[in-house]
Amino acid sequence: MKKTFKILSLVLALSLILAGCSGKSADKSSTDDVAPAVPEDEEITLKVTFFEAGFGRAWQEWLKEEFEAKHPNVTIELVGDANLVETITPMIESGVDAPDVFMTNGSGWEEWGPQGLVLDLTSLYEEVVPGTDMTLNEYITDVAKDKFFFDLGEELGGVKKYAVPWSAGPMSVVYNAKMFKEYGWEYPETWEEFEALCEEIKAAGIAPLTYPGKYPNYVRPFIRAWQLQDMGEEKFFGEFKNPTSPEIYNDPAILNAFSKFKSLFDNGWIMEGTTALDHTQVQMEFINNKVAMILNGYWLEQEMSEAWPEGYEIVMAPVPQAGKIDKPVAFMNMPDYMAIYGKTKHPEVAKEFLLFSLSPESCEMFAKLAGGLRPFKYDLGNVDVTDFTKSCQDVVGNSNYYQFTDASSNPLMFKTLGNDYLTQISTGEMTPEKAAEEFYKEAQTHYEQTKEDLGL
């Protein structure tokens, strides 16, 4: 974690105030300081609901089989739900069909934790992770702490942890390594070299770069990397992610990122037709050798598993070095998390299941069965995974790269990337200058409204 900052969400503020008024502790109902243990004198069914999408369900089936073998009196009831991102909220907030443990995408735990709707797992982070000599606090990577550690300050209870990471990995440039070898191209270290490479690829009659144009959030690794490189570490992790005024969102780095994005189109480096294509369509263009590089994530190979030709070679790479950061930068995407329902009848069994799911062996099986990565300190060296997955792991752990995330639980941060502005810039409907102006206005409104809501 590059820097720790004191943060306070709206729900945390309200829940702490309400707890004080009622004379009850805000966390007593959901915190248990006893180490998790599975009772052996009763039959227990633990309902585990998970977002069943690109990662499939093979890993969850493995967890079920292994955990039940270790604890014969426990039955894991697996429920896969392709719409869990939408359905989990009514489950948790109403209690109807609520699972004991859930694995999903998003940040609902940030609101539910202070309300007691998910368990406070702070004490779980002090437990030793199976198969290691490290506590969970030591086992989780520093970059993940930016998202999963809530530093509220001592007066508000210190650091709280309501969830654990499920999946996390890089979003960045993926290049066609087989094509690169055929043409003698090398992936660059610096942005200047990247620009020169794009010209070389274009001269060969191949489109240098693409992204899912209908979903400009895929440009996030470029936009955030450029902003970090322009602002520098202190400003990006300080004022940008934890603002004391909306003025940071009028920083020249905002306009510079929009301008740099436009230059990709102006220079003819973006594949023609990109803006009209969704993720599947543009990924097929990449698979069919119509374009040399694509902005995408660590899920790409698994998501398109049935489409890859024999002998394909793809590599995940960092965003080339530029500006105030002296290394290539690797943007970490970590939307997936695991949490425990606050009113589960089996909190200790649920905690034991979570710890079991975090072990190095479980992480290795996640890579092998789901093609996914996790933000923990484990090694894939002895695991039979694809070369692409190994390249993703390298981007995550290579000390020659600067790993970061834009995740923040500070409610005052204007987290919007500016997707609508990016779309209009890409189609020529808006200039970078106008986009930066509108972005700043939107950020001002967000900041003032949030302050009012918080009573600050």
Side-chain angles (χ1 to χ4, degrees):
M1 187 164 50
K2 310 300 178 188
K3 231 174 187 182
T4 302
F5 297 92
K6 295 189 184 340
I7 54 177
L8 178 63
S9 72
L10 172 59
V11 176
L12 270 171
L14 293 177
S15 65
L16 289 166
I17 291 169
L18 291 173
C21 292
S22 65
K24 296 179 181 178
S25 165
D27 12 282
K28 230 179 217 185
S29 63
S30 59
T31 303
D32 192 335
D33 291 330
V34 179
V38 177
E40 300 179 357
D41 57 350
E42 60 177 309
E43 294 295 318
I44 295 171
T45 297
L46 198 72
K47 183 177 180 181
V48 177
T49 300
F50 63 97
F51 180 40
E52 188 170 4
F55 292 131
R57 63 181 295 131
W59 181 66
Q60 283 82 3
E61 295 284 1
W62 179 86
L63 286 178
K64 170 183 167 66
E65 181 178 342
E66 294 296 316
F67 193 80
E68 288 178 348
K70 186 177 180 181
H71 305 286
N73 61 311
V74 177
T75 298
I76 302 297
E77 178 189 347
L78 287 180
V79 180
D81 184 349
N83 299 307
L84 190 61
V85 175
E86 291 79 31
T87 60
I88 192 62
T89 296
M91 287 181 195
I92 297 300
E93 294 184 354
S94 72
V96 177
D97 293 328
D100 298 292
V101 175
F102 60 98
M103 309 176 184
T104 190
N105 179 289
S107 56
W109 59 273
E110 295 180 9
E111 297 183 3
W112 298 328
Q115 300 179 70
L117 293 177
V118 295
L119 287 188
D120 180 350
L121 301 178
T122 304
S123 62
L124 187 72
Y125 275 76
E126 299 295 335
E127 297 300 323
V128 174
V129 176
T132 78
D133 59 0
M134 294 177 282
T135 66
L136 181 50
N137 275 326
E138 297 165 333
Y139 184 59
I140 188 173
T141 60
D142 285 345
V143 71
K145 294 176 184 178
D146 277 347
K147 177 166 184 175
F148 289 93
F149 284 27
F150 276 24
D151 185 0
L152 308 175
E154 290 304 317
E155 68 279 6
L156 293 173
V159 174
K160 292 291 183 183
K161 302 149 191 176
Y162 298 107
V164 298
W166 170 19
S167 168
M171 278 185 78
S172 191
V173 177
V174 179
Y175 67 89
N176 184 328
K178 191 172 183 179
M179 181 186 291
F180 269 52
K181 289 177 184 177
E182 290 174 357
Y183 284 88
W185 301 327
E186 290 187 8
Y187 190 80
E189 287 287 321
T190 69
W191 187 258
E192 285 185 358
E193 293 170 351
F194 184 84
E195 292 178 333
L197 173 64
C198 286
E199 284 297 321
E200 191 174 350
I201 294 172
K202 188 173 73 169
I206 299 171
L209 182 65
T210 192
Y211 68 95
K214 287 187 175 181
Y215 307 110
N217 190 59
Y218 278 81
V219 182
R220 182 175 291 270
F222 268 2
I223 298 297
R224 290 302 193 221
W226 294 335
Q227 290 167 346
L228 169 65
Q229 290 167 336
D230 238 14
M231 292 183 186
E233 182 179 44
E234 184 173 353
K235 184 185 286 188
F236 185 86
F237 292 101
E239 188 67 9
F240 184 75
K241 291 179 69 172
N242 297 273
T244 56
S245 86
E247 291 306 308
I248 186 63
Y249 302 111
N250 195 31
D251 190 271
I254 305 299
L255 172 58
N256 290 345
F258 284 143
S259 298
K260 211 164 184 176
F261 175 67
K262 183 176 184 294
S263 73
L264 299 177
F265 289 87
D266 292 344
N267 290 318
W269 297 338
I270 298 294
M271 184 184 72
E272 188 175 347
T274 286
T275 56
L277 302 180
D278 64 21
H279 60 296
T280 302
Q281 293 169 321
V282 82
Q283 287 161 192
M284 283 305 305
E285 295 295 287
F286 178 65
I287 288 172
N288 291 327
N289 298 317
K290 300 293 180 62
V291 59
M293 299 178 284
I294 185 172
L295 283 168
N296 217 282
Y298 60 103
W299 56 84
L300 173 62
E301 185 177 48
Q302 184 74 9
E303 188 170 72
M304 303 298 288
S305 59
E306 297 181 3
W308 298 105
E310 186 177 351
Y312 74 94
E313 296 177 43
I314 57 173
V315 174
M316 174 71 72
V319 177
Q321 183 277 330
K324 297 177 181 177
I325 305 300
D326 63 2
K327 303 176 180 180
V329 297
F331 176 78
M332 298 293 106
N333 188 54
M334 51 184 70
D336 302 325
Y337 70 94
M338 303 189 294
I340 300 173
Y341 179 48
K343 298 180 181 178
T344 176
K345 294 180 180 178
H346 309 291
E348 299 313 307
V349 181
K351 290 178 184 179
E352 181 70 16
F353 181 80
L354 277 193
L355 274 180
F356 177 78
S357 75
L358 304 178
S359 71
E361 182 184 12
S362 294
C363 291
E364 291 166 4
M365 292 304 294
F366 185 62
K368 184 175 182 178
L369 298 175
L373 299 173
R374 311 187 74 189
F376 304 112
K377 297 171 184 175
Y378 65 99
D379 183 17
L380 287 178
N382 297 320
V383 182
D384 184 19
V385 296
T386 67
D387 288 339
F388 177 67
T389 297
K390 290 178 182 177
S391 74
C392 291
Q393 182 74 0
D394 179 63
V395 168
V396 170
N398 194 322
S399 62
N400 292 318
Y401 304 151
Y402 185 100
Q403 291 84 9
F404 81 106
T405 177
D406 63 354
S408 171
S409 43
N410 188 326
L412 294 173
M413 179 186 176
F414 189 54
K415 301 175 185 177
T416 301
L417 188 67
N419 287 348
D420 290 343
Y421 306 132
L422 292 170
T423 295
Q424 292 179 73
I425 290 171
S426 70
T427 58
E429 298 172 73
M430 182 177 283
T431 66
E433 290 77 14
K434 183 63 175 177
E437 179 184 335
E438 294 300 317
F439 183 87
Y440 175 49
K441 288 179 181 177
E442 196 177 346
Q444 284 180 303
T445 300
H446 165 81
Y447 187 89
E448 297 304 331
Q449 186 61 57
T450 303
K451 280 191 68 176
E452 181 180 336
D453 292 342
L454 287 169
L456 299 177

